[in-house]
Amino acid sequence: MREQFEKLVKELCTLTKLPDAKHVIDGGTMDVNGTTMGLIYNEQVANDRCFVYAEFGLAPQSDPATLLQIHQTLLLRNFLDFTGKGPCFTVSPFTSKVVYIENVPLATTKADELGATLSHIATEAADWRKTYFLTGEYQLQFERVPTGVELTGKV
């Protein structure tokens, strides 16, 4: 599968005119419409897929209540978007920046599809940097989540 990853990245770089496929293959970052991203392949983690890491940026730290609301919204997105293998939002332990991770199945993904995925993620990241997903459709999703759900049964 390593070969499929390298082939996919080379095709993506040709399609998007990125000059250094080896840099991307080796885990180097690239700028996609203003968002720093990387493609990571580690056969010990998952030999049939690679992972897109997209840096969304720092959440504002000045107001603890707003920071909590931002983190709750990201956790909600994880809950609503999770398919068993991702995607997910996290906070980097190294930079404290919000990072989005999505898996890419190597056997079925074409370079143009990966390019479209990266472009979509970059659009989401740009929106997050403006709104932190606290307005518009994201806030509506958050307001629709039921609260006070009671779990029954014995553990």
Side-chain angles (χ1 to χ4, degrees), residues 9-19 30 111 114-116 118:
V9 171
K10 288 175 184 175
E11 290 173 356
L12 174 72
C13 289
T14 299
L15 181 69
T16 60
K17 299 183 181 12
L18 283 171
M30 57 188 152
L114 179 56
L118 298 178

Side-chain angles (χ1 to χ4, degrees), residues 11-81:
E11 290 173 356
L12 174 72
C13 289
T14 299
L15 181 69
T16 60
K17 299 183 181 12
L18 283 171
D20 192 356
K22 183 175 177 357
H23 173 75
V24 177
I25 289 168
D26 291 342
T29 61
M30 57 188 152
D31 180 277
V32 179
N33 301 330
T35 298
T36 301
M37 295 190 197
L39 297 173
I40 306 297
Y41 176 77
N42 183 333
E43 62 191 347
Q44 294 174 339
V45 173
N47 71 345
D48 64 337
R49 61 195 61 250
C50 68
F51 297 89
V52 176
Y53 282 74
E55 183 180 280
F56 275 46
L58 281 171
Q61 307 290 311
S62 59
D63 177 25
T66 301
L67 183 60
L68 176 62
Q69 188 177 13
I70 291 167
H71 286 167
Q72 287 175 326
T73 302
L74 293 174
L75 288 171
L76 173 66
R77 288 290 305 267
N78 283 350
F79 178 78
L80 295 174
D81 294 345

Side-chain angles (χ1 to χ4, degrees), residues 31-37 54-60 70 74 89 97-100 118-135 138:
D31 180 277
V32 179
N33 301 330
T35 298
T36 301
M37 295 190 197
E55 183 180 280
F56 275 46
L58 281 171
I70 291 167
L74 293 174
F89 287 96
K97 293 181 179 178
V98 171
V99 176
Y100 176 81
L118 298 178
S119 180
H120 175 74
I121 293 169
T123 299
E124 290 273 310
D127 186 38
W128 183 83
R129 287 189 290 271
K130 291 178 196 165
T131 68
Y132 303 108
F133 296 157
L134 297 179
T135 61
Y138 309 107

Side-chain angles (χ1 to χ4, degrees), residues 108-152:
T108 58
T109 303
K110 307 287 186 246
D112 61 332
E113 296 167 337
L114 179 56
T117 296
L118 298 178
S119 180
H120 175 74
I121 293 169
T123 299
E124 290 273 310
D127 186 38
W128 183 83
R129 287 189 290 271
K130 291 178 196 165
T131 68
Y132 303 108
F133 296 157
L134 297 179
T135 61
E137 69 177 89
Y138 309 107
Q139 185 59 28
L140 290 175
Q141 287 176 345
F142 190 73
E143 290 170 359
R144 282 190 220 126
V145 172
T147 58
V149 175
E150 184 177 323
L151 299 177
T152 60

